[in-house]
Amino acid sequence: MIAIAILAAGRGTRMKSDLPKVLHELGGRTLVERVLQSCQEIEISRRLVIVGYRSELVKESLIEAQETTKDREFPPLEFVEQTEQLGTGHAIQQLLPHLEGFPGDLLVLNGDVPLLRAETIKQLMAVHKQHQNSATILTANLPDPQGYGRVFTDSQNLVQQIIEDRDCTQAQKQNHRINAGVYCFHWPDLEKILPDLKADNDQKEYYLTDTVSSLSPVMAVDVEDYQEILGINDRKHLATTSDILQTRIKDKWLRAGVTLIDPHSITIDDTVELQADVVIEPQTHLRGKTSIASRSRIGPGSLIENSQIGENVTVLYSVISDSIVAENSRIGPYAHLRGHAQIGANCRIGNFVELKNAQIGDRTNIAHLSYLGDATLGEKVNIGAGTITANYDGKNKHKTQIGSGTKIGSNSVLVAPITLGENVTVAAGSVVTEEVPNDCLVIARSRQVVKPGWKLKEPEK
Ligand code: UD1
Ligand code: CA
């Protein structure tokens, strides 16, 4: 039986942020969500998260993330409050009433190690089980171990002691083997010694790491790639891990048949799905639950978030959020699709067009300088340059409907709520305020007046 506990109560003072450290984001997920995710491949019976600093925020965020990922097969999250943050050992002490008599192993993870691989945790658990250790800890040899606890082992490679960087002597600092902040404890053993922890160190905190000196045997398992155990303590660490994660994500898509042009200028959240033969051009950012189908070319200079892009679509210098674009459509340059815009197949949404909550039928063109909000357009509609839906009366938003085959002349205003039928032609410069039936011409502007021979009067001297 395995329970996991995630340490997520600290503020993360070194982040210099109002937000709890574990809620900072990396590649579209919070740090703590990533840590939880790294345990997804092991069979667990309980999931405990220790929260403290702004605990409501941390709980809400985890519950929300869990709902969207639908990881229902996992045991529910149990939140344990650590009202005062007196150290990692003190945090685990808060579990005592919750895990009383629990006979299994407790996997403890710091909430700030976001790049950990599921495979690594499995290896740690395997060693723990094979040797029936009292504790097994994850370690790494870091080129720059500054800030990490150092792990000291005896001649048989059994862990004797972990000493925090700030408590190390100069000689002890020469040891580059560090504690990754990922541990597996045999809970009945830990339970016995936990109450005896002393805050006998530079920070006057109760250290979880001190427990290893009272347990035996304790083994260390080195990770092969130290990058995955980097802990986030400040913004510099966040930036470094972000780079590592981006490299991981891009390598995955390159192997899967996606072309990335100038990869360093592109960012892709790991919640994004791409098909083979997608081309991503420079300075393009793909975020959230976005998917892009085969043969589509995105960028340069585009931002797409929480949107679905069909096959063979081009998006050029545009911003698309919470929207859907069907196959063969061309978006941009300089289009903005938002608020659940839905673009049909073979459409052209062109220069300086903003669409909000607009459903656009197949083969419809909105090529230049338009704003359409809360609108439904049929198929093969043509919207002339500069057409605007006046959808807001200062209080409420109203709907515009335009039937298939209708052509709106340039610089028209459609004052919502309004319905225009099919195969309507609206004369350029019209302000349409009343319902328009099928198959007609609408001219809603004043006539041009020409006065022959008329001249401005000469000013009197
Ligand atoms: C900790 C380890 C260190 C290890 C490093 C790995 C201890 C004493 N030190 O140091 O050996 O090399 O992680 O990254 O454990 N937290 C709480 N309650 C508290 C204090 C912290 O929940 O009272 C949480 C934090 O939110 C964080 C995690 O524990 O997620 C680690 O705390 P942090 O202060 O970052 O520990 P480090 O100094 O990095
Ligand atoms: Ca840390």
PDB file of all heavy atoms in Angstrom, residues 14 117 193 261 272 374 411 423 443 446:
ATOM      1  N   ARG A  14      11.516  33.187  -1.520  1.00  0.00           N
ATOM      2  CA  ARG A  14      12.516  33.592  -2.510  1.00  0.00           C
ATOM      3  C   ARG A  14      11.911  33.887  -3.890  1.00  0.00           C
ATOM      4  O   ARG A  14      12.558  34.456  -4.751  1.00  0.00           O
ATOM      5  CB  ARG A  14      13.595  32.500  -2.620  1.00  0.00           C
ATOM      6  CG  ARG A  14      14.470  32.414  -1.378  1.00  0.00           C
ATOM      7  CD  ARG A  14      15.298  31.146  -1.328  1.00  0.00           C
ATOM      8  NE  ARG A  14      14.524  30.003  -0.837  1.00  0.00           N
ATOM      9  CZ  ARG A  14      15.032  28.773  -0.681  1.00  0.00           C
ATOM     10  NH1 ARG A  14      16.291  28.534  -0.992  1.00  0.00           N
ATOM     11  NH2 ARG A  14      14.273  27.784  -0.224  1.00  0.00           N
ATOM     12  N   ARG A 117      10.228  12.721 -13.580  1.00  0.00           N
ATOM     13  CA  ARG A 117       9.550  11.786 -14.487  1.00  0.00           C
ATOM     14  C   ARG A 117       8.912  10.647 -13.701  1.00  0.00           C
ATOM     15  O   ARG A 117       9.468  10.184 -12.701  1.00  0.00           O
ATOM     16  CB  ARG A 117      10.559  11.173 -15.449  1.00  0.00           C
ATOM     17  CG  ARG A 117      11.038  12.110 -16.522  1.00  0.00           C
ATOM     18  CD  ARG A 117      12.068  11.377 -17.370  1.00  0.00           C
ATOM     19  NE  ARG A 117      13.058  12.294 -17.884  1.00  0.00           N
ATOM     20  CZ  ARG A 117      13.025  12.785 -19.129  1.00  0.00           C
ATOM     21  NH1 ARG A 117      12.083  12.431 -19.958  1.00  0.00           N
ATOM     22  NH2 ARG A 117      13.950  13.622 -19.538  1.00  0.00           N
ATOM     23  N   ILE A 193       9.432   7.835  14.849  1.00  0.00           N
ATOM     24  CA  ILE A 193      10.483   8.817  15.168  1.00  0.00           C
ATOM     25  C   ILE A 193      10.073  10.264  14.873  1.00  0.00           C
ATOM     26  O   ILE A 193      10.715  11.200  15.346  1.00  0.00           O
ATOM     27  CB  ILE A 193      11.787   8.494  14.408  1.00  0.00           C
ATOM     28  CG1 ILE A 193      11.540   8.519  12.898  1.00  0.00           C
ATOM     29  CG2 ILE A 193      12.354   7.142  14.838  1.00  0.00           C
ATOM     30  CD1 ILE A 193      12.795   8.782  12.120  1.00  0.00           C
ATOM     31  N   ILE A 261      10.130  26.019 -36.933  1.00  0.00           N
ATOM     32  CA  ILE A 261      11.109  26.901 -37.557  1.00  0.00           C
ATOM     33  C   ILE A 261      11.596  27.885 -36.505  1.00  0.00           C
ATOM     34  O   ILE A 261      10.789  28.597 -35.912  1.00  0.00           O
ATOM     35  CB  ILE A 261      10.486  27.628 -38.762  1.00  0.00           C
ATOM     36  CG1 ILE A 261      10.036  26.579 -39.791  1.00  0.00           C
ATOM     37  CG2 ILE A 261      11.487  28.611 -39.374  1.00  0.00           C
ATOM     38  CD1 ILE A 261       9.230  27.127 -40.932  1.00  0.00           C
ATOM     39  N   VAL A 272      -0.715  20.879 -25.115  1.00  0.00           N
ATOM     40  CA  VAL A 272      -1.045  21.092 -26.528  1.00  0.00           C
ATOM     41  C   VAL A 272      -0.894  19.781 -27.309  1.00  0.00           C
ATOM     42  O   VAL A 272      -0.014  18.981 -27.010  1.00  0.00           O
ATOM     43  CB  VAL A 272      -0.107  22.188 -27.103  1.00  0.00           C
ATOM     44  CG1 VAL A 272      -0.185  22.277 -28.610  1.00  0.00           C
ATOM     45  CG2 VAL A 272      -0.432  23.529 -26.462  1.00  0.00           C
ATOM     46  N   ASP A 374     -21.141  38.260 -31.338  1.00  0.00           N
ATOM     47  CA  ASP A 374     -22.432  37.610 -31.092  1.00  0.00           C
ATOM     48  C   ASP A 374     -23.207  37.442 -32.392  1.00  0.00           C
ATOM     49  O   ASP A 374     -24.383  37.806 -32.488  1.00  0.00           O
ATOM     50  CB  ASP A 374     -23.246  38.433 -30.079  1.00  0.00           C
ATOM     51  CG  ASP A 374     -22.442  38.686 -28.812  1.00  0.00           C
ATOM     52  OD1 ASP A 374     -22.016  37.701 -28.194  1.00  0.00           O
ATOM     53  OD2 ASP A 374     -22.213  39.864 -28.484  1.00  0.00           O
ATOM     54  N   ASN A 411     -18.143  48.985 -45.187  1.00  0.00           N
ATOM     55  CA  ASN A 411     -18.425  50.024 -44.199  1.00  0.00           C
ATOM     56  C   ASN A 411     -19.879  50.074 -43.752  1.00  0.00           C
ATOM     57  O   ASN A 411     -20.425  51.136 -43.503  1.00  0.00           O
ATOM     58  CB  ASN A 411     -17.987  51.395 -44.737  1.00  0.00           C
ATOM     59  CG  ASN A 411     -17.501  52.287 -43.613  1.00  0.00           C
ATOM     60  OD1 ASN A 411     -16.900  51.795 -42.665  1.00  0.00           O
ATOM     61  ND2 ASN A 411     -17.795  53.559 -43.686  1.00  0.00           N
ATOM     62  N   ASN A 423     -29.103  35.403 -49.423  1.00  0.00           N
ATOM     63  CA  ASN A 423     -28.910  36.067 -50.716  1.00  0.00           C
ATOM     64  C   ASN A 423     -29.350  37.530 -50.717  1.00  0.00           C
ATOM     65  O   ASN A 423     -29.948  38.013 -51.665  1.00  0.00           O
ATOM     66  CB  ASN A 423     -29.644  35.298 -51.823  1.00  0.00           C
ATOM     67  CG  ASN A 423     -29.153  33.865 -51.895  1.00  0.00           C
ATOM     68  OD1 ASN A 423     -27.955  33.619 -51.971  1.00  0.00           O
ATOM     69  ND2 ASN A 423     -30.072  32.910 -51.816  1.00  0.00           N
ATOM     70  N   ILE A 443     -30.698  49.206 -49.203  1.00  0.00           N
ATOM     71  CA  ILE A 443     -29.857  50.410 -49.184  1.00  0.00           C
ATOM     72  C   ILE A 443     -30.320  51.204 -47.982  1.00  0.00           C
ATOM     73  O   ILE A 443     -31.479  51.619 -47.932  1.00  0.00           O
ATOM     74  CB  ILE A 443     -30.039  51.261 -50.457  1.00  0.00           C
ATOM     75  CG1 ILE A 443     -29.883  50.369 -51.709  1.00  0.00           C
ATOM     76  CG2 ILE A 443     -29.048  52.410 -50.491  1.00  0.00           C
ATOM     77  CD1 ILE A 443     -30.280  51.047 -53.006  1.00  0.00           C
ATOM     78  N   SER A 446     -28.455  57.711 -46.793  1.00  0.00           N
ATOM     79  CA  SER A 446     -29.076  58.813 -47.527  1.00  0.00           C
ATOM     80  C   SER A 446     -28.488  58.875 -48.925  1.00  0.00           C
ATOM     81  O   SER A 446     -27.346  58.499 -49.163  1.00  0.00           O
ATOM     82  CB  SER A 446     -28.863  60.117 -46.766  1.00  0.00           C
ATOM     83  OG  SER A 446     -27.501  60.221 -46.441  1.00  0.00           O
TER      84      SER A 446
END
